[in-house]
Amino acid sequence: MEKEIIKHIGKTIEIIYLGAEGLITQRLIEVRSVKSGNVNAYCLQRKALRVFRIYNILAVQPAAGRVIA
């Protein structure tokens, strides 16, 4: 999964993520960096910088024109 995300640094991707509370969420994120098992990204839904654990990312795909208002 890490290699898949690294190739999207600087791009917007859509992820399915298992959060700390056990909730599965779908997020649009702008990947800033990947290191030490974490993805540092700007979350377009939360409008804030977030850190996502790679092992909690269940799926990744390019955002392909998706926009969050």
Side-chain angles (χ1 to χ4, degrees):
M1 183 67 70
E2 185 170 345
K3 289 180 183 180
E4 174 70 19
I5 297 170
I6 286 173
K7 71 181 184 181
H8 294 290
I9 291 175
K11 299 177 184 173
T12 301
I13 60 173
E14 186 173 4
I15 63 171
I16 304 297
Y17 188 74
L18 177 62
E21 304 81 31
L23 297 174
I24 295 175
T25 61
Q26 185 173 350
R27 304 281 186 98
L28 279 177
I29 63 172
E30 294 174 355
V31 180
R32 302 289 171 89
S33 66
V34 179
K35 59 184 173 186
S36 302
N38 293 317
V39 177
N40 296 302
Y42 182 81
C43 178
L44 296 168
Q45 282 97 331
R46 303 280 188 221
K47 297 183 176 31
L49 292 174
R50 300 284 184 185
V51 177
F52 298 93
R53 290 186 172 93
I54 289 176
Y55 61 82
N56 284 354
I57 296 175
L58 306 175
V60 175
Q61 71 177 20
R66 300 258 333 253
V67 175
I68 297 294

